[in-house]
Amino acid sequence: MKITEHITNANGKTLFSFELLPPVKGQSIESIYKAIDPLMEFNPPFIDVTYHREDYIYKQHPTGLLEQVSYRKRPGTVAICAAIMNRYKVYAVPHLICGGFTKEETENALIDLQFLGIDNVLVLRGDARKADPSFIPTPGGHAFATELLQQVSDMNKGLYLHEHSDSNKSDFCIGVAAYPEKHFESPNLKTDFNYLKKKVEMGADFVVTQMFYDNQKYFDFVKMCRENGINIPIIPGLKPITSAKQLINLPKIFHIDIPEDLSEAVSACNSEKEVKDVGIEFMIKQCRELIEFGAPVLHFYTMSNPAPTKKIAEAIF
Ligand SMILES: Cc1cc2nc3c(=O)[nH]c(=O)nc-3n(C[C@H](O)[C@H](O)[C@H](O)COP(=O)(O)OP(=O)(O)OC[C@H]3O[C@@H](n4cnc5c(N)ncnc54)[C@H](O)[C@@H]3O)c2cc1C
């Protein structure tokens, strides 16, 4: 079932969903189940699983020479999606990224997803490798989410890279990312917004936003979308603050602002336990406002740690 159908069927009721990261290579899938089990009571209609591009590691040879090795730290997205659907009977949404894939590999991955009965994908450019100064496309792959979206949308029309099939068209419901505080590489919000508009014109069915802590930024963003003819669901992404370090790390990594009242409340805490409580309380208020506004879904970036999200969901659902 498509995310857009879940939202329509909810008749204006705000739904609950969340995102998980595949475990670090070498860890078992049990860590995924442990991250999901406590949240199932809130009836998520779908669960997202992130995708991670390969990075480089350096292996030292006995001669002292360093060899650069390409290494994917968190593999398993597609298999985790299949396992989630099988075990919980909930729709899993794999993230698809441009980096690390040729178009051919993307096509094969899409065929795997179609055969697994996965109906929704979140189409992204993906993060740059840590060692690269900025995003470097894979030769033979895509440079922007728009290009990857075109490929998915083509497959939905039966247009494969080298074949045309009238009998096997995919029917993916396509999500894309958006940034109420703009994407960090974009010169301004309007330029970034114009690319979102392009993604929607090319067939995106729903939007998931970057996390934010000032609801007004989401409200303004939704208003800008509606005024510019973007009428698809705009799902807010939410991440509770759980540690004082995040006052520095979240703006640095995700290029977002933390409002003064939140940063002051966190700074005034005497322990990490107090910080967690402040983060949860803040997010409960944020969620209540978002529900009142009519947000279609509250989508939590759990980082596979379900405890704070569970406390918030208990308070609001
Ligand atoms: C909800 C969500 C989920 C995410 N999940 C993952 C994940 O699983 N794995 C991961 O690696 N990363 C993930 N990310 C991070 C994301 O990949 C990065 O933010 C990345 O830098 C941009 O991805 P995008 O899809 O927004 O890119 P794009 O839409 O391609 O935009 C990238 C930049 O280029 C500009 N731009 C867009 N289209 C064009 C164009 N056609 N020509 C020129 N400029 C253009 C945009 O304004 C923007 O500045 C996620 C982000 C969000 C918000």
Side-chain angles (χ1 to χ4, degrees), residues 240-271:
I241 296 250
T242 52
S243 124
K245 277 191 300 211
Q246 288 172 326
L247 289 188
I248 294 164
N249 289 344
L250 294 179
K252 191 166 134 193
I253 299 170
F254 298 104
H255 309 273
I256 49 147
D257 274 356
I258 308 240
E260 264 174 56
D261 53 346
L262 178 56
S263 70
E264 280 167 11
V266 169
S267 302
C269 291
N270 292 313
S271 67

Side-chain angles (χ1 to χ4, degrees), residues 19 48-53 95-98 122-128 135 143-147 176-179 183-187 191-193 195-196 198-199 208-211 299 301:
E19 176 191 287
D48 276 41
V49 185
T50 56
Y51 217 116
H52 298 264
R53 188 177 186 173
H95 292 190
L96 291 182
I97 56 174
C98 303
L122 189 71
V123 164
L124 302 144
R125 184 190 71 181
D127 290 323
F135 180 83
F144 293 104
T146 40
E147 297 173 9
V176 292
Y179 305 82
H183 184 259
F184 71 103
E185 289 166 22
S186 202
T191 307
D192 195 29
F193 180 80
Y195 285 118
L196 173 66
K198 189 169 171 194
K199 292 195 257 192
V208 185
T209 77
Q210 182 58 281
M211 69 191 73
H299 184 69
Y301 300 123

Side-chain angles (χ1 to χ4, degrees), residues 54-83:
E54 80 286 2
D55 256 311
Y56 296 125
I57 52 168
Y58 292 89
K59 276 173 83 175
Q60 189 159 26
H61 287 275
T63 57
L65 275 177
L66 287 176
E67 185 193 0
Q68 191 186 53
V69 179
S70 181
Y71 175 83
R72 195 183 295 276
K73 193 172 154 195
R74 294 181 184 272
T77 301
V78 175
I80 291 169
C81 286

